[in-house]
Amino acid sequence: MNQEEKSAAGANGIFVRMSGITKVYGNGVLANDNVQLELRKGEIHALMGENGAGKSTLMKILFGNEQPDKGTIELDGRIVNIDSPKKAVALGIGMVYQHFNLAESLTVAENIVVGQEPNSGIMFDRKNACSKVNALAEKYGFSVKAEELIRNISVGQKQKVEILKILYRDSKLIILDEPTAVLTPQETDELFEQLKLLKQNGYTLVFISHKIDEVLRLCDRLTVMRGGRYIGTYDVKDLTSAEISRLMVGRDVFLDIHKNAHERKETILQVRGLNYYNKHNVHTVNDVDFNLHRGEVLGIAGVEGSGQKEISEIITGLLPAESGSVQIDGTEVLGKPVKAIRDMGVSHIHEDRMTYGAAMNESIEENLISIRADDKELGNRLLLSRRKIRELSRKLIEKYTILCKSPSVPIKMLSGGNMQKVVVAREMSVAPKILVASQPTRGIDVGAVELIHRNILEAREKDCAILLISSDLNEVLALSDSLIVMYKGQIAGYFRNVAELTDEEIGLYMLGLKQQSREELEEAMRE
């Protein structure tokens, strides 16, 4: 059966119909080109495509954050004008963003009922709010307690709070943007059971994800977009992983990773007794020790907030440690400025590409050469060669397949995946001795993932030492030679033979259900 024949046809039970949606931004970018989307009542519908395919724009239009230039939206058979998120919520549409929007200092109940608080007279009825939230959580199997402060609950529980906020407002359509990006395998399994229960209760769910295996496990139908256009809608049961990749990217994608066996070489990065306290005085990095060797990929896995982000920022000079030692080739780097650490051969792919990874108002080429201001190949300290900068930029744009009109375009005009390629191209093009790569493929499509993985392994073959921090366990297991698992700021497990690990076992360490002894940790670190 060809792809066209696999397109779902029937229109029975359509809850939402978006027809002929076209959106052109002020800079002339055609984000949506005559796109259509049909969602049935009581289904889990995947929305997939490369970064820049138009998925986010389409969902922003459905949720009222953007207005289409052309097209209509029908809800339960009647045309509606969704001119704001407030209007979307009033129509029964809710959205859970990848980055949560919760007040850390408030309780679960206070976050859920905000804007629709139950009152007793003129006072907030806290007891009533907690009772309603606990009843709602119990109904749908969400293991959160209304009285808990948000800052004291896990990342997985915070996501449940976001979903409960939508359910509390009687929404019937729930849009989930990359909902498993920060979850352990066990938390993902639990979330999927809860989403299936919502489906059984008549809710319609849009599942935006780049994880094809999860779409195959969970979803009923799949709509694919490419280059701002609608490619087709398919029954998931009729598709394979390879077919979905081909529909998204327009070519075959090879994600199977083959790497040469790692031969233990000398230590280039040594971390000892590292400690850090965050602004809430939480011990987020607690007496951490590890070694990184030349030509090695050392993975760090852990639930978000387990200290891995702080470790990466301490090593690269963005955060001051409370105590401990970080040595590169025997030289202490704690207390040194970022540029001094970069001059020692350290590159950093930061997990937050919008804030730390790129200067959003500057051009692509300015971002690409921003760490090379004193590169003699580009000129001198007083005057850089525009011609040489443009020449280098074009080479990197071609090598990393960055989709853009010109190197002079502001980087903020790019999709998330292409923006990430700019960051990766900049950091890897200087042939670093050490690469600290934090969430290098988060939220990007399979085509970009394939390219970034290939470049990480190429750097490894050139004896670059790579510290890989990722919440994608498939990525960690495929790329890493050795692996550290963090739990609440401490190393819960340190493994030299990654080939013997499963993502389920790693998940147990991430959740703190398993813990290596100090002797086991010392043995794993021994030269």
Side-chain angles (χ1 to χ4, degrees):
M1 180 182 291
N2 62 34
Q3 299 296 354
E4 288 74 17
E5 289 172 330
K6 288 180 181 178
S7 291
N12 294 333
I14 298 299
F15 181 47
V16 173
R17 178 182 284 111
M18 303 180 76
S19 305
I21 300 296
T22 298
K23 176 67 179 180
V24 183
Y25 286 108
N27 55 11
V29 173
L30 181 60
N32 284 166
D33 183 6
N34 195 34
V35 175
Q36 63 188 65
L37 176 68
E38 290 186 344
L39 307 174
R40 294 173 181 166
K41 291 182 179 178
E43 76 166 343
I44 304 178
H45 193 113
L47 182 61
M48 301 190 78
E50 291 187 277
N51 288 94
K55 308 183 304 296
S56 295
T57 298
L58 189 67
M59 290 300 98
K60 285 178 181 178
I61 289 170
L62 181 57
F63 194 57
N65 284 315
E66 298 280 1
Q67 299 302 302
D69 297 306
K70 294 180 182 177
T72 60
I73 301 174
E74 294 177 52
L75 186 64
D76 249 351
R78 61 187 181 93
I79 294 178
V80 293
N81 176 32
I82 307 176
D83 55 8
S84 69
K86 184 177 180 180
K87 180 68 173 293
V89 171
L91 290 169
I93 301 171
M95 186 163 182
V96 178
Y97 293 96
Q98 187 174 338
H99 303 289
F100 305 145
N101 184 26
L102 298 170
E104 294 279 319
S105 60
L106 299 182
T107 65
V108 167
E110 288 167 336
N111 272 273
I112 289 172
V113 305
V114 64
Q116 295 189 10
E117 300 91 339
N119 294 319
S120 177
I122 61 171
M123 300 297 291
F124 172 50
D125 192 338
R126 189 179 306 277
K127 183 177 179 181
N128 188 12
C130 288
S131 176
K132 286 184 174 182
V133 167
N134 283 330
L136 191 63
E138 183 178 354
K139 179 179 179 181
Y140 293 107
F142 287 88
S143 55
V144 293
K145 294 181 180 178
E147 301 83 1
E148 285 277 4
L149 288 174
I150 290 292
R151 67 166 172 255
N152 294 335
I153 65 177
S154 70
V155 173
Q157 289 173 315
K158 288 176 183 177
Q159 186 178 69
K160 292 175 179 135
V161 173
E162 289 282 17
I163 297 173
L164 285 168
K165 279 170 63 176
I166 292 172
L167 297 177
Y168 183 79
R169 285 155 180 77
D170 294 324
S171 296
K172 288 300 179 184
L173 170 63
I174 304 174
I175 304 166
L176 299 152
D177 185 10
E178 298 284 349
T180 65
V182 294
L183 302 184
T184 67
Q186 290 84 352
E187 289 172 326
T188 296
D189 290 342
E190 184 179 350
L191 174 66
F192 282 9
E193 290 306 310
Q194 290 155 348
L195 297 183
K196 289 174 184 176
L197 182 58
L198 289 173
K199 170 189 163 182
Q200 290 169 13
N201 279 271
Y203 289 89
T204 300
L205 298 104
V206 179
F207 187 79
I208 306 171
S209 179
H210 290 107
K211 298 181 180 180
I212 296 173
D213 59 327
E214 294 183 352
V215 169
L216 290 170
R217 280 175 56 194
L218 178 69
C219 298
D220 302 300
R221 293 194 304 149
L222 160 68
T223 290
V224 179
M225 295 181 66
R226 192 192 319 142
R229 293 182 173 87
Y230 170 81
I231 299 301
T233 298
Y234 311 89
D235 288 326
V236 170
K237 62 181 175 58
D238 293 335
L239 294 172
T240 66
S241 176
E243 286 174 321
I244 293 175
S245 296
R246 195 179 307 121
L247 286 166
M248 290 171 60
V249 182
R251 61 173 175 83
D252 289 328
V253 178
F254 303 99
L255 291 179
D256 290 337
I257 293 173
H258 304 284
K259 62 179 189 284
N260 297 326
H262 174 249
E263 179 184 341
R264 179 76 66 82
K265 299 179 182 178
E266 68 272 25
T267 297
I268 184 171
L269 175 69
Q270 184 184 76
V271 175
R272 293 290 184 272
L274 202 61
N275 287 279
Y276 179 78
Y277 292 84
N278 68 11
K279 63 183 179 181
H280 300 296
N281 204 35
V282 176
H283 203 176
T284 52
V285 180
N286 187 351
D287 198 26
V288 167
D289 299 339
F290 64 84
N291 297 325
L292 176 62
H293 303 83
R294 295 188 193 277
E296 174 188 38
V297 179
L298 173 60
I300 301 184
V303 174
E304 192 166 295
S306 296
Q308 58 271 51
K309 174 176 178 285
E310 288 82 358
I311 289 171
S312 71
E313 292 187 344
I314 290 169
I315 291 170
T316 54
L318 292 174
L319 276 182
E322 182 76 19
S323 61
S325 170
V326 176
Q327 294 187 5
I328 295 175
D329 278 336
T331 300
E332 182 63 53
V333 300
L334 287 186
K336 290 184 179 294
V338 172
K339 187 175 187 307
I341 295 172
R342 280 192 173 275
D343 288 344
M344 296 175 74
V346 178
S347 282
H348 184 198
I349 300 171
H350 197 283
E351 68 175 54
D352 186 348
R353 56 182 172 249
M354 305 289 283
T355 305
Y356 294 98
M360 301 304 292
N361 291 320
E362 307 306 323
S363 68
I364 295 168
E365 63 184 8
E366 286 170 326
N367 274 277
L368 284 170
I369 63 98
S370 60
I371 62 173
R372 305 170 75 143
D374 54 0
D375 189 334
K376 293 180 180 179
E377 291 183 10
L378 298 179
N380 55 55
R381 289 179 181 271
L382 295 177
L383 187 64
L384 297 177
S385 167
R386 173 63 61 185
R387 179 184 60 79
K388 290 180 178 179
I389 290 172
R390 182 61 54 89
E391 185 178 315
L392 173 65
S393 297
R394 291 195 183 280
K395 285 180 180 178
L396 293 176
I397 286 169
E398 181 179 357
K399 178 179 179 181
Y400 288 86
T401 63
I402 299 165
L403 299 179
C404 62
K405 288 183 176 180
S406 161
S408 61
V409 171
I411 194 172
K412 66 183 178 183
M413 307 308 334
L414 300 183
S415 68
N418 283 297
M419 198 182 299
Q420 184 73 355
K421 288 180 187 178
V422 172
V423 175
V424 171
R426 180 188 66 219
E427 299 298 328
M428 300 189 76
S429 65
V430 295
K433 291 197 300 185
I434 298 173
L435 173 66
V436 179
S438 187
Q439 312 295 349
T441 63
R442 175 181 284 176
I444 65 175
D445 58 79
V446 289
V449 168
E450 178 191 38
L451 182 144
I452 291 172
H453 284 179
R454 186 170 68 245
N455 279 276
I456 286 175
L457 292 180
E458 285 177 3
R460 172 184 179 267
E461 290 300 308
K462 295 175 182 175
D463 267 355
C464 178
I466 298 157
L467 191 65
L468 173 65
I469 299 167
S470 178
S471 56
D472 185 336
L473 295 190
N474 290 329
E475 178 173 71
V476 167
L477 289 173
L479 292 176
S480 300
D481 300 298
S482 306
L483 178 66
I484 288 169
V485 183
M486 301 289 297
Y487 175 69
K488 290 189 175 180
Q490 293 183 304
I491 295 179
Y494 198 151
F495 306 95
R496 282 296 180 195
N497 191 353
V498 175
E500 296 179 355
L501 293 173
T502 64
D503 53 359
E504 288 81 10
E505 183 178 6
I506 296 172
L508 294 175
Y509 284 94
M510 290 170 68
L511 292 169
L513 301 177
K514 290 186 77 172
Q515 169 83 47
Q516 285 182 349
S517 67
R518 186 150 195 90
E519 291 74 20
E520 288 175 305
L521 294 174
E522 289 173 352
E523 175 64 27
M525 193 172 62
R526 195 165 294 139
E527 295 293 331

